Amino acid sequence: QVQLKESGGGSVQAGGSLRLSCATPRNIYDSDCMAWFRQAPGSEREGVAAIHTLGRRIAYADSVKDRFTISQDKNILSLQMNSLQPADTGMYYCATIRGCAIRTAARALSSDAYTYWGQGVQVTVSS
C-alpha cells in the first residue's frame, strides 16, 4: 500500500550527494518509529537508517554509517546521503509505524516492523 510520499531521488556521480524527503499525512510523534529502506534489482530489501525508542535512538546499516543521516521535522522524514557510491543504487522507501515498540537496531532496520510505506524513489549512482 502507498501511504507515504518520497521525493528527491535522481542520478548522481560517485562522490555526490542527494537528500530524500518523505511526507507523512500527519505530524510524526515520539511514539512513532520511522525508517528508510532500499532495494536493488534482484536483491532483498535492506534497512538503511531508522529512528526509534521515542525518537532517542538512531540506527544505520554498516554500509551507510558516517555517510547517511536520517532526520525528522514535523511531518517530514529526511535522508541526507553524502559520498554516494554505485553500491548505493536502488529504490529507496520510507516507512513508519505508530505506537512503536521497537527497541533494538536490528528490529528497527527490519522491513516487517513497519506498516506505513511510500511508493519508492529511484537513486542511481554512476562511477
Side-chain angles (χ1 to χ4, degrees):
Q1 291 187 253
V2 178
Q3 300 161 312
L4 309 173
K5 177 64 175 177
E6 302 98 339
S7 61
S11 299
V12 298
Q13 292 189 339
S17 298
L18 286 172
R19 185 176 181 87
L20 306 183
S21 297
C22 173
T24 68
R26 63 170 179 86
N27 288 346
I28 298 172
Y29 298 99
D30 287 345
S31 57
D32 299 339
C33 294
M34 59 216 78
W36 287 94
F37 294 82
R38 67 186 181 187
Q39 187 169 20
S43 299
E44 296 294 317
R45 188 168 297 183
E46 173 191 21
V48 175
I51 301 173
H52 64 101
T53 312
L54 303 178
R56 295 179 57 83
R57 295 288 181 268
I58 297 178
Y60 292 104
D62 288 342
S63 59
V64 307
K65 193 171 299 181
D66 300 324
R67 298 189 298 116
F68 290 13
T69 303
I70 187 172
S71 62
Q72 169 268 322
D73 182 23
K74 296 183 179 179
N75 69 323
I76 303 296
L77 176 69
S78 298
L79 184 69
Q80 179 67 44
M81 304 185 293
N82 297 328
S83 301
L84 284 163
Q85 305 165 7
D88 297 315
T89 294
M91 190 74 70
Y92 283 69
Y93 303 86
C94 63
T96 66
I97 184 170
R98 299 176 183 176
C100 180
I102 295 172
R103 295 294 183 270
T104 67
R107 185 60 177 163
L109 295 173
S110 297
S111 61
D112 63 0
Y114 298 88
T115 56
Y116 296 91
W117 289 84
Q119 79 286 357
V121 61
Q122 180 68 36
V123 171
T124 302
V125 185
S126 61
S127 59

